[in-house]
Amino acid sequence: GVACRWENHYDEAKRKTTICLTITQEGEEPYFESFTEYSYEKEFILKTLKQNGFSLLELLDGESFTSLTPQSERYLFVAKRS
């Protein structure tokens, strides 16, 4: 069989999540991957886009790719260099 172990560690002070995956399969070497995600306030992203010459085309729910709702936890920023 195949097993997947997924571990998250959130550092609130740095607004950083470290994600570690280990996938094991009988008779195979384990596969390991680690990566980091950061969270930013929506206003910070909008300001940074503008400061760097981008215009916002659309702001969507980052999970469903549809309009934002009060339950949206991730944002998808669609921007274009002005």
Side-chain angles (χ1 to χ4, degrees):
V2 177
C4 177
R5 180 177 176 175
W6 180 301
E7 296 179 58
N8 290 352
H9 173 72
Y10 183 63
D11 182 330
E12 190 170 354
K14 295 181 180 178
R15 301 182 66 136
K16 172 176 96 167
T17 302
T18 302
I19 301 160
C20 299
L21 299 171
T22 304
I23 300 172
T24 56
Q25 183 173 355
E26 287 180 38
E28 300 286 332
E29 289 291 319
Y31 170 80
F32 178 78
E33 181 175 347
S34 178
F35 56 95
T36 303
E37 293 182 348
Y38 293 87
S39 63
Y40 301 95
E41 295 293 329
K42 179 175 73 172
E43 291 72 24
F44 173 79
I45 299 294
L46 293 171
K47 180 177 119 183
T48 303
L49 285 170
K50 186 175 182 177
Q51 288 174 340
N52 289 280
F54 285 84
S55 57
L56 184 68
L57 300 177
E58 203 166 4
L59 182 56
L60 302 169
D61 181 284
E63 300 293 330
S64 66
F65 308 117
T66 59
S67 298
L68 290 176
T69 70
Q71 292 76 34
S72 295
E73 294 183 3
R74 286 182 182 241
Y75 300 137
L76 172 64
F77 295 82
V78 181
K80 173 179 144 177
R81 187 173 291 276
S82 302

